[in-house]
Amino acid sequence: MGYSLIRDRMIHILSSLFADKRNPRVIDLCSESLVEITKFIRDDDKGCILTIVIIMAHDDSDEEARVLATRLFNSLATIIGRELCELYVVPQIASFADDPHSKVRKAVAGNFLNMCISVSENTFKTKLLPVYQKLSKDSLWMVRKAAAEIIPKITALCDSNTISKTLLDIFRSFTNDNQKYVRIAAIEVLGQFINLLKKEDLNDSILDFYIKIVDEYYTNKDVNESDIIYHCAYNFPAVLYIYGKEKWSELRNLYKKMATDREYRVKRSIASSIGEIANIIGPQLTETDIIPILEKLYLEEGDIQVLILKNIPTLLKNIPAEKRINYLDKLQKVTNPREKWRTRSDYSKIVSNYGSVFDEDTTYKQILPIAMQFCLDDVAQVRFKASKYISRIILHLISNGPHVETTLKVIEAFAYSVNYHYRQLFVRMCTNLFEDKEVCEKYIIGYLTKLANDKVVNVRISLSKVLSKVFKNKE
């Protein structure tokens, strides 16, 4: 009895508030409340909530009501269940795809995905996929753009046969669209889309589109289309990964142009993935084609230089060991004490990745001292982060080569320090050492046993937290 009264009262209040079309904020809050209330009412009562939205959907005189209904249908789709969704929502959405008002059709394209995952595979394929096809060919470019933006998520719901026979053609239509914003939307999702394709579905048409777009940009150099080249740079690793090293000869010059683009964000995107590119094309091409690009990008200021430093360890693994030492001097950049503490904190992680690139002697004499600097930083947050990452270098040194004893003496100074902050840091240093059972039992367990009885409670708490994480990860 009480439940029914509350349900009926809530529905009445919401229906009344939705009638206040003069105040968009009220409508937004009502929409949020409607979705939340639906989560808590009984399944056999959810049709009552849906009735409110259906009434809006049938208001032929008010396109804003139909737009709101579209948004609510999508928000409610995963809550009301498959039966209600297929019986009432799907037919209404199919109708909205033919709505005379473009605003409603655009709303359908932007509020479509929850419905797709809430219905059966057959309903999606026979009822909703045709709706998407219709939206992708809409006369209004904004609707086509909205459809282009969600094609990876639609593709993820399709079987390989549907992808090869339907989705590929739709994507190609976006790439050839006469409106540049639709083409930009296609470029933006290019990487996600091609990652969902089966190899047998892949042909050079998408690659040709990508190459053509980049070539046209650098031929015309239209500053108003810089978004295009940014998305091309962002998706370059995905394109190269999917098409493979064999296509590098066709993509090399485009990559070099983007690496020297006037737009900072384009160069930043190239810098962030330069190590990944080296892994794809291999040692020989890395040395001839990627190293010169790295050298130029390293001369940039700010984030780009940091990203290059971050990628150098990955990149160096693709060149001969005897030539890697030439790039060690770039690490001097991270030792500047005038850098902001957040930057120094980021550098501490970057330095830790250099340990596995060089031989043990170089790592001990040149990498470890730099990493240790961060563990002694004036700012606690830097020390805290650095102590965790240095464990990678420590594990590398005490697992191999001639520097086991001297490395243990370095970290022992932390374990036995009179300053309890440094004893806490030692506990953090041991984080990654637990990954190697032999190293842990042979070298580390003795220190930890002593610290388990440390007179300072904060040290004991730090140790218990680290051990708790270790045992949880092993479960």
Side-chain angles (χ1 to χ4, degrees), residues 5-20:
L5 286 172
I6 294 172
R7 177 202 63 201
D8 295 342
R9 185 62 179 157
M10 284 292 186
I11 291 173
H12 175 72
I13 291 171
L14 286 171
S15 298
S16 301
L17 288 171
F18 273 122
D20 183 8

Side-chain angles (χ1 to χ4, degrees), residues 182-199:
V182 178
R183 298 196 302 274
I184 290 174
I187 295 165
E188 191 170 353
V189 299
L190 175 64
Q192 299 172 56
F193 178 71
I194 62 175
N195 269 318
L196 293 166
L197 299 181
K198 307 295 180 189
K199 292 300 178 184

Side-chain angles (χ1 to χ4, degrees), residues 28-152:
D28 287 343
L29 290 172
C30 282
S31 300
E32 293 173 13
S33 299
L34 183 76
V35 173
E36 288 303 311
I37 289 169
T38 308
K39 294 176 182 177
F40 297 103
I41 67 171
R42 295 169 184 163
D43 287 345
D44 55 356
D45 287 330
K46 287 178 179 175
C48 299
I49 295 289
L50 195 57
T51 301
I52 299 175
V53 187
I54 291 172
I55 291 170
M56 290 181 207
H58 289 168
D59 189 346
D60 293 335
S61 64
D62 188 353
E63 65 182 89
E64 292 295 340
R66 300 199 299 281
V67 168
L68 177 59
T70 303
R71 294 205 305 264
L72 286 170
F73 279 141
N74 193 54
S75 298
L76 292 169
T78 57
I79 305 171
I80 61 176
R82 176 180 293 182
E83 185 177 355
L84 287 175
C85 199
E86 292 186 345
L87 195 58
Y88 296 106
V89 175
V90 171
Q92 193 60 66
I93 289 301
S95 172
F96 281 165
D98 290 316
D99 196 280
H101 289 273
S102 60
K103 199 170 185 180
V104 178
R105 303 197 305 274
K106 183 185 175 187
V108 174
N111 296 273
F112 193 63
L113 291 171
N114 281 351
M115 301 173 214
C116 293
I117 63 175
S118 300
V119 299
S120 68
E121 184 178 344
N122 182 61
T123 300
F124 166 72
K125 194 171 182 178
T126 60
K127 302 287 180 63
L128 289 179
L129 189 57
V131 169
Y132 180 72
Q133 288 176 276
K134 189 176 293 184
L135 295 170
S136 72
K137 299 172 184 175
D138 196 274
S139 59
L140 186 74
W141 70 264
M142 287 186 287
V143 178
R144 301 196 303 275
K145 176 179 178 289
E149 289 168 348
I150 64 169
I151 193 169

Side-chain angles (χ1 to χ4, degrees), residues 293-307:
I293 293 174
L294 176 141
E295 294 288 1
K296 288 181 181 177
L297 287 173
Y298 182 76
L299 300 176
E300 297 281 342
E301 297 294 328
D303 286 352
I304 292 179
Q305 194 174 76
V306 173
L307 286 167

Side-chain angles (χ1 to χ4, degrees), residues 277-377:
I277 301 303
N279 280 340
I280 295 171
I281 65 176
Q284 185 176 348
L285 292 171
T286 293
E287 195 168 358
T288 57
D289 295 343
I290 302 300
I291 291 296
I293 293 174
L294 176 141
E295 294 288 1
K296 288 181 181 177
L297 287 173
Y298 182 76
L299 300 176
E300 297 281 342
E301 297 294 328
D303 286 352
I304 292 179
Q305 194 174 76
V306 173
L307 286 167
I308 289 298
L309 285 168
K310 184 178 179 180
N311 276 273
I312 283 178
T314 304
L315 192 140
L316 291 185
K317 290 176 182 178
N318 286 284
I319 68 173
E322 65 273 12
K323 294 184 179 180
R324 295 175 189 175
I325 198 72
N326 298 329
Y327 298 90
L328 196 57
D329 63 328
K330 289 180 170 45
L331 265 186
Q332 296 307 312
K333 162 72 179 174
V334 308
T335 61
N336 184 359
R338 291 193 294 271
E339 291 281 10
K340 295 177 180 178
W341 73 264
R342 291 185 189 278
T343 303
R344 298 200 304 276
S345 181
D346 291 338
Y347 282 161
S348 71
K349 183 178 181 179
I350 290 171
V351 171
S352 70
N353 293 323
Y354 280 70
S356 60
V357 176
F358 297 98
D359 60 71
E360 290 78 14
D361 200 48
T362 302
T363 300
Y364 177 76
K365 292 179 179 178
Q366 300 197 53
I367 308 296
L368 182 62
I370 296 174
M372 197 60 67
Q373 262 184 255
F374 294 115
C375 292
L376 301 172
D377 196 274

Side-chain angles (χ1 to χ4, degrees), residues 162-323:
T162 305
I163 291 172
S164 61
K165 289 187 176 180
T166 305
L167 275 300
L168 267 172
D169 287 340
I170 293 175
F171 187 79
R172 289 190 191 104
S173 73
F174 293 145
T175 65
N176 293 316
D177 200 278
N178 58 13
Q179 225 297 331
K180 74 172 183 179
Y181 293 111
V182 178
R183 298 196 302 274
I184 290 174
I187 295 165
E188 191 170 353
V189 299
L190 175 64
Q192 299 172 56
F193 178 71
I194 62 175
N195 269 318
L196 293 166
L197 299 181
K198 307 295 180 189
K199 292 300 178 184
E200 59 268 23
D201 295 329
L202 201 63
N203 57 46
D204 284 354
S205 63
I206 295 176
L207 180 64
D208 292 342
F209 157 71
Y210 180 84
I211 293 171
K212 179 183 175 185
I213 287 290
V214 179
D215 276 339
E216 285 180 353
Y217 175 81
Y218 285 112
T219 300
N220 301 326
K221 293 189 176 178
D222 186 349
V223 294
N224 296 318
E225 294 195 0
S226 60
D227 281 350
I228 288 180
I229 203 63
Y230 167 69
H231 292 306
C232 286
Y234 181 84
N235 283 295
F236 188 91
V239 172
L240 181 62
Y241 176 78
I242 292 296
Y243 281 97
K245 174 183 175 180
E246 296 74 23
K247 296 294 183 180
W248 174 246
S249 59
E250 296 177 46
L251 293 166
R252 179 195 292 114
N253 288 337
L254 306 184
Y255 189 72
K256 289 180 179 179
K257 287 178 181 178
M258 289 188 284
T260 56
D261 193 87
R262 59 176 172 263
E263 284 266 335
Y264 185 85
R265 60 179 177 158
V266 174
K267 290 183 287 191
R268 188 184 187 281
S269 185
I270 294 296
S272 69
S273 61
I274 196 167
E276 189 178 349
I277 301 303
N279 280 340
I280 295 171
I281 65 176
Q284 185 176 348
L285 292 171
T286 293
E287 195 168 358
T288 57
D289 295 343
I290 302 300
I291 291 296
I293 293 174
L294 176 141
E295 294 288 1
K296 288 181 181 177
L297 287 173
Y298 182 76
L299 300 176
E300 297 281 342
E301 297 294 328
D303 286 352
I304 292 179
Q305 194 174 76
V306 173
L307 286 167
I308 289 298
L309 285 168
K310 184 178 179 180
N311 276 273
I312 283 178
T314 304
L315 192 140
L316 291 185
K317 290 176 182 178
N318 286 284
I319 68 173
E322 65 273 12
K323 294 184 179 180

